[in-house]
Structure formats: C-alpha cells, structure tokens
Amino acid sequence: PPRSTPSNSSAASDVYKRQMHIAANLIAMVGLKGADLVIEPDVSHVSPTDFHLASECIPRGIEAAERAFATLE
C-alpha cells in the first residue's frame, strides 16, 4: 500500500472536512423545510470543525438574529 506522507495526509484531511461540510449543509437544508424564519449569519469562512472561532461566530449570529427578527415586525 502507498505510504502516508504529510502532503497526502493533508489532502485526505481536506477532503474529509469538505465532505463533512457538505453533509452538514444537506442536513440543515432538510431540517429547514417549512421553517417560518431562518437565521443565516455570515460564517461561510468557518468549517464545522473550527470550534476555536466560536467567539467570532457568536456575535455574527446575534446580528443575523436581530436582522431576521426585524423582518417580523
């Protein structure tokens, strides 16, 4: 079998991360069918494994929620 090298290990990791991102998006889309309101913060640069970016994402979520709630008034 081919030996694992840092470059192909990194490539495999990138593929896995992309696969997880696609799967998470598909699950989310199915779950959102029929929703009355969808809050979508701009966190497109964050992957599902970027837990260290939570402190950056939380304020974006709050801002997106405030914008979405304003549309209900």
Side-chain angles (χ1 to χ4, degrees):
R3 292 177 47 192
S4 177
T5 63
S7 63
N8 66 11
S9 291
S10 177
S13 175
D14 289 344
V15 169
Y16 177 74
K17 285 180 182 179
R18 280 184 269 155
Q19 176 189 5
M20 292 302 295
H21 185 72
I22 291 168
N25 282 339
L26 290 173
I27 291 168
M29 286 190 308
V30 169
L32 294 175
K33 281 188 176 180
D36 293 328
L37 179 70
V38 177
I39 300 169
E40 296 184 274
D42 180 15
V43 291
S44 57
H45 65 288
V46 179
S47 94
T49 58
D50 287 337
F51 300 109
H52 63 283
L53 296 177
S55 62
E56 176 185 333
C57 295
I58 292 168
R60 290 179 181 222
I62 292 169
E63 292 167 4
E66 289 170 347
R67 284 192 305 273
F69 291 145
T71 66
L72 297 176
E73 296 174 356

